[in-house]
Amino acid sequence: MSLAEQIQTRPKPIREPLVRLVNVTRTFRVGNQEVHALRGVSLDVYQGQLVVIRGPSGSGKTTLVNIMGGLDQPTSGQAFYKGHDLSKLSDHALTDLRRREIGFVFQSFALIEVLTAYENVELPLRMVRMSASERARRIRECLEWVGLDKRAQHRAYELSGGEQQRVGIARALVNEPSLILADEPTGELNQETAQRVMELFRRIVREQNRTVCVVTHDPLVAEYADVTFEIVDGLLVGESDTHA
Ligand SMILES: Nc1ncnc2c1ncn2[C@@H]1O[C@H](COP(=O)(O)OP(=O)(O)OP(=O)(O)O)[C@@H](O)[C@H]1O
Ligand SMILES: [Mg+2]
C-alpha cells in the first residue's frame, strides 16, 4: 500500500470531548422535599463548538452549566473536563481549573459599577502571577477584541447594556480559557444587541478555537449554534447538529 493510501485508510484520531457528562443527576433537598433538577443527562461538548442549551424555565439549564463549570457537583453520574473527573479533584485543584480554563458570562453582566471597563477586565488577573506589561497587553487585546478599546476608561455605569456585556465577555476571555459558559447572556439586551453579542461569540469560536456554551430561551440566539441541546424537566429531549 502506498503512503498516500495508508494515510487515507488510517482511522481518524478520536477526538476527546472538552466536557463529558455521563448520566448526571442533581437533586436538591428543600425541607423534606426533593427537587430533581437533572434526571440523567449525558452529553459531549467539543473544542471549537458554539453550543446552545435551550429549555423552559426550571428545566435545569443553570444547574447543568454549573456542573459543567465545576461550580456544582452531580448527585450521581460523572462530569469530566478534558478527561478529568471533576468529582475527584480537590477544592484547590477545582478552583485552579476554573480560574485557568473557564470564563463565565452572566445575564446581568456582573460588572463592578464604579470600576472602569479596563479594571473590570483586569479582575480575574489579580489572582494570577504575571508581569505588569503582560497583564496590560492582555487586557488591551481583549478590550480590542470586543470593540471597546476606546471605552477602556469608562466606568461600567457609563456604558450601554451591550457595551457592558462586551466588557463581561472581555473579562471572561482575559485568562485565555478553553471554555466560556454564558447563562442567558442576551436576556437583558434588545434583539440587535443580542445578535451582536452572538456574532462575537461566533468569532471567538471560529478565530480563537475556544468553546462557547450559551444557555438561552431565545430562538434567534439558537440560530448561531453549531450544536443545540434541548432540555425539558431535567432530561435532554433533543440534540441537533446544525452544520452536520
Ligand atoms: N439551589 C437550589 N435549591 C433548590 N432547588 C433548586 C436550586 N437550584 C435550582 N433548583 C431547582 O431546580 C430546578 C432547575 O433549576 P435551574 O435553575 O437549573 O433551571 P433553569 O432551566 O436555569 O431555569 P431558568 O430558565 O428560569 O433560569 C428548578 O425547579 C429549581 O427550582
Ligand atoms: Mg437559569
Side-chain angles (χ1 to χ4, degrees):
M1 203 191 295
S2 74
L3 183 61
E5 281 170 331
Q6 280 178 41
I7 290 169
Q8 278 162 4
T9 55
R10 191 182 291 163
K12 281 189 189 153
I14 297 164
R15 270 210 300 171
E16 185 180 296
L18 185 69
V19 176
R20 166 164 279 178
L21 301 185
V22 182
N23 210 11
V24 163
T25 75
R26 180 67 171 100
T27 303
F28 294 105
R29 225 162 287 251
V30 183
N32 53 9
Q33 262 200 332
E34 284 191 339
V35 180
H36 299 282
L38 297 176
R39 299 190 293 144
V41 170
S42 300
L43 59 81
D44 288 340
V45 168
Y46 292 91
Q47 191 178 335
Q49 282 186 332
L50 179 43
V51 177
V52 164
I53 298 170
R54 291 176 62 182
S57 181
S59 57
K61 303 181 297 296
T62 295
T63 307
L64 186 69
V65 289
N66 285 348
I67 288 173
M68 288 170 71
L71 292 170
D72 190 17
Q73 297 279 351
T75 304
S76 68
Q78 288 164 299
F80 296 92
Y81 184 85
K82 290 189 174 172
H84 300 282
D85 185 339
L86 293 180
S87 71
K88 300 223 160 72
L89 298 182
S90 66
D91 280 353
H92 176 77
L94 200 56
T95 306
D96 195 56
L97 180 134
R98 269 203 308 269
R99 201 173 283 162
R100 286 169 197 277
E101 287 283 332
I102 303 171
F104 294 90
V105 175
F106 303 93
Q107 176 168 356
S108 49
F109 325 132
L111 302 180
I112 298 181
E113 295 266 304
V114 297
L115 296 185
T116 63
Y118 186 97
E119 290 163 341
N120 269 286
V121 176
E122 186 178 28
L123 285 174
L125 295 181
R126 292 214 172 154
M127 287 166 272
V128 181
R129 238 179 259 174
M130 179 182 297
S131 71
S133 59
E134 167 69 2
R135 188 180 300 253
R137 186 194 64 76
R138 280 223 208 160
I139 297 164
R140 289 273 163 212
E141 190 180 276
C142 290
L143 281 169
E144 223 166 274
W145 238 88
V146 301
L148 285 178
D149 36 328
K150 298 213 164 54
R151 295 280 187 274
Q153 297 312 320
H154 284 233
R155 296 186 191 279
Y157 66 78
E158 295 168 336
L159 299 170
S160 72
E163 287 171 342
Q164 289 186 48
Q165 191 56 299
R166 276 144 67 201
V167 174
I169 294 169
R171 181 186 53 192
L173 286 173
V174 80
N175 276 340
E176 306 188 334
S178 299
L179 176 64
I180 291 161
L181 296 174
D183 196 346
E184 296 278 4
T186 63
E188 294 182 15
L189 305 176
N190 64 41
Q191 197 171 312
E192 200 190 319
T193 313
Q195 281 173 321
R196 259 198 252 132
V197 163
M198 288 312 297
E199 276 157 21
L200 191 57
F201 280 137
R202 190 155 64 186
R203 276 184 55 217
I204 290 166
V205 169
R206 297 287 179 271
E207 294 174 29
Q208 302 187 355
N209 197 32
R210 300 185 205 280
T211 302
V212 176
C213 203
V214 177
V215 167
T216 192
H217 285 103
D218 184 352
L220 254 171
V221 163
E223 285 178 17
Y224 290 84
D226 296 316
V227 185
T228 307
F229 294 106
E230 297 264 356
I231 179 168
V232 173
D233 206 10
L235 285 172
L236 285 189
V237 295
E239 172 179 350
S240 52
D241 203 334
T242 322
H243 304 298

